[in-house]
Amino acid sequence: MTDALKRLSDEGVAIWLDDLSRKRITSGNLAELIDQQHIVGVTTNPSIFQKAISHGDGYEQQLTDLATRKVTVDEAIRMITTADVRDAADILRPVFDATDGQDGRVSIEVDPRLAHHTDATVAEAKQLAWLVDRPNTLIKIPATKAGLPAITEVIGKGISVNVTLIFSLERYREVMDAYLAGLEKAKAAGLDLSEIYSVASFFVSRVDSEIDKRLDAVGTPEAKALKGKAALANARLAYQAFEEVFSSDRWAALDKAQANKQRPLWASTGVKDPAYKDTLYVDDLVAPGTVNTMPEATLDATADHGQITGNTIAGTYEQARAELDAVAKLGISYDDVVQLLEDEGVEKFEASWIDLLNSTEAELKRLAPSEG
């Protein structure tokens, strides 16, 4: 079952699980995936926590204790989510040690309601790093305009970061620039750059979902022939940008100071259109020095019938550029698509967070001890 996943790992792709729940931790399932499915990291987001906590498995006792203490709902959420991330980080600690800190990492996101507030994002990132208190944590910061200076500031303080919700090539370059600026800041402050890590989460399937919808609206044979191509093209050109930035003179100076490259992470890798093979965004995005974070269905599909045939990004840049140009020639605005996806991404995470707050508040009220 795991040959394809082993081949993927052997090609230099780190396989991370895009899911976490207390049940996964306490049942031994996470440890089993690490042992048998080549999982070397875990990512979480507000939607994942909303789903896990609303299903309730394993949270009742902690919720009862929090209700007895009469904590606020915001504090309750932070206590619950950081406890899960801390426990997952402990399970992944052997991987972290074995890979000298590159993998074995668990990501936790700042409150998505802060996505457009730089200072609040920085303060929240510092608080989360302190609360989890594990060296193998990544603090997730969205790649909004306000998020960029926050990334620089947080990296500059020596806190490792997973930059999330990246859709556009221009924004990705800004993210890499923010990371390098943060490393330069950390270096000036005398921090050990070898202990600072980052990944840049470049979202894949949502690009096809939006562009395919617009191609269907155009309706011509040329438009239909381009369906299912934009997301891979976008991600492949992102890898080209990664190669350029991390072979620059600016990077060379940081490399000499033992800095770590910010790896591209392929996110949103579950296929949304059933017409496409369910391992599309795994099989066709293989390149060294990348991370692929998969929901469990995609992980299982890859283990079962993934076609890992070596590097599937090298040599594709010209074709990828041609495909995005062809989409643009049909009147579909790339800039409009990626901005819409960023806005929607933040809104979806905000909505999930608010759902989580509401459902947790209801649980706290239900479990609160009666007065008297």
Side-chain angles (χ1 to χ4, degrees):
M1 276 287 284
T2 58
D3 280 355
L5 293 172
K6 183 179 186 306
R7 286 197 297 277
L8 191 60
S9 295
D10 290 345
E11 288 293 336
V13 179
I15 304 168
W16 291 8
L17 177 69
D18 192 26
D19 192 47
L20 186 64
S21 67
R22 190 155 298 175
K23 190 175 180 183
R24 257 194 212 290
I25 292 164
T26 57
S27 68
N29 172 262
L30 178 58
E32 190 178 288
L33 290 173
I34 294 163
D35 185 49
Q36 298 177 14
Q37 301 281 63
H38 303 275
I39 291 292
V40 293
V42 168
T43 50
T44 69
N45 62 44
S47 300
I48 284 169
F49 276 128
Q50 191 272 330
K51 184 178 162 192
I53 297 168
S54 64
H55 286 176
D57 282 345
Y59 296 100
E60 182 108 351
Q61 184 58 59
Q62 189 178 12
L63 280 164
T64 301
D65 291 345
L66 292 165
T68 303
R69 287 175 49 216
K70 298 182 179 175
V71 303
T72 66
V73 64
D74 286 278
E75 187 185 348
I77 295 296
R78 277 304 173 217
M79 290 300 102
I80 292 166
T81 57
T82 54
D84 280 359
V85 168
R86 191 181 307 114
D87 288 344
D90 288 344
I91 293 168
L92 278 154
R93 184 59 189 261
V95 177
F96 174 80
D97 292 337
T99 60
D100 292 326
Q102 178 154 262
D103 288 308
R105 293 195 169 261
V106 187
S107 299
I108 183 168
E109 190 147 346
V110 297
D111 184 331
R113 295 171 296 177
L114 307 178
H116 301 297
H117 305 280
T118 302
D119 291 346
T121 293
V122 173
E124 171 97 342
K126 286 158 62 181
Q127 172 76 355
L128 283 174
W130 178 82
L131 267 175
V132 176
D133 193 27
R134 293 294 183 271
N136 50 330
T137 312
L138 290 169
I139 307 302
K140 285 180 94 172
I141 297 176
T144 56
K145 276 291 184 191
L148 295 169
I151 293 157
T152 296
E153 191 67 24
V154 172
I155 290 288
K157 293 183 184 303
I159 296 169
S160 295
V161 172
N162 175 344
V163 184
T164 189
L165 290 175
I166 308 171
F167 296 94
S168 84
L169 296 166
E170 181 185 359
R171 183 56 54 83
Y172 178 43
R173 286 185 180 274
E174 291 173 338
V175 165
M176 289 188 284
D177 180 70
Y179 175 61
L180 297 187
L183 288 175
E184 287 158 354
K185 213 168 180 177
K187 185 182 174 188
L191 298 182
D192 182 354
L193 300 194
S194 71
E195 293 186 355
I196 304 171
Y197 286 82
S198 183
V199 293
S201 296
F202 200 87
F203 278 54
V204 187
S205 66
R206 294 186 196 179
V207 174
D208 270 344
S209 296
E210 184 59 34
I211 289 183
D212 282 1
K213 190 165 68 179
R214 298 182 187 209
L215 289 168
D216 279 335
V218 174
T220 63
E222 293 84 357
K224 290 192 185 298
L226 286 166
K227 285 183 68 177
K229 294 187 175 175
L232 288 175
N234 199 39
R236 286 165 169 173
L237 291 173
Y239 191 78
Q240 181 184 34
F242 160 74
E243 288 184 314
E244 287 172 8
V245 169
F246 289 98
S247 59
S248 66
D249 291 342
R250 184 183 182 191
W251 169 250
L254 291 163
D255 189 36
K256 274 184 193 160
Q258 308 299 308
N260 298 292
K261 290 180 181 178
Q262 181 187 55
R263 288 183 293 172
L265 177 151
W266 311 128
S268 181
T269 57
V271 171
K272 305 282 195 289
D273 188 333
Y276 303 150
K277 63 178 178 177
D278 53 4
T279 59
L280 177 66
Y281 305 124
V282 179
D283 298 352
D284 290 18
L285 288 176
V286 178
T290 59
V291 180
N292 194 309
T293 184
M294 309 180 202
E296 193 166 21
T298 305
L299 180 75
D300 290 345
T302 303
D304 184 59
H305 52 264
Q307 299 292 312
I308 309 303
T309 57
N311 189 324
T312 48
I313 292 182
T316 64
Y317 303 146
E318 199 175 315
Q319 177 71 20
R321 174 50 60 198
E323 284 166 351
L324 287 189
D325 286 348
V327 168
K329 279 176 187 159
L330 292 171
I332 296 169
S333 166
Y334 176 85
D335 290 343
D336 181 65
V337 166
V338 292
Q339 188 59 56
L340 174 73
L341 290 172
E342 180 187 303
D343 293 344
E344 283 183 351
V346 172
E347 285 166 14
K348 281 175 185 170
F349 281 170
E350 273 188 26
S352 292
W353 197 253
I354 289 163
D355 283 349
L356 177 55
L357 288 168
N358 291 339
S359 59
T360 302
E361 187 170 37
E363 282 297 282
L364 290 171
K365 282 179 181 167
R366 181 178 73 82
L367 296 165
S370 54
E371 297 297 331

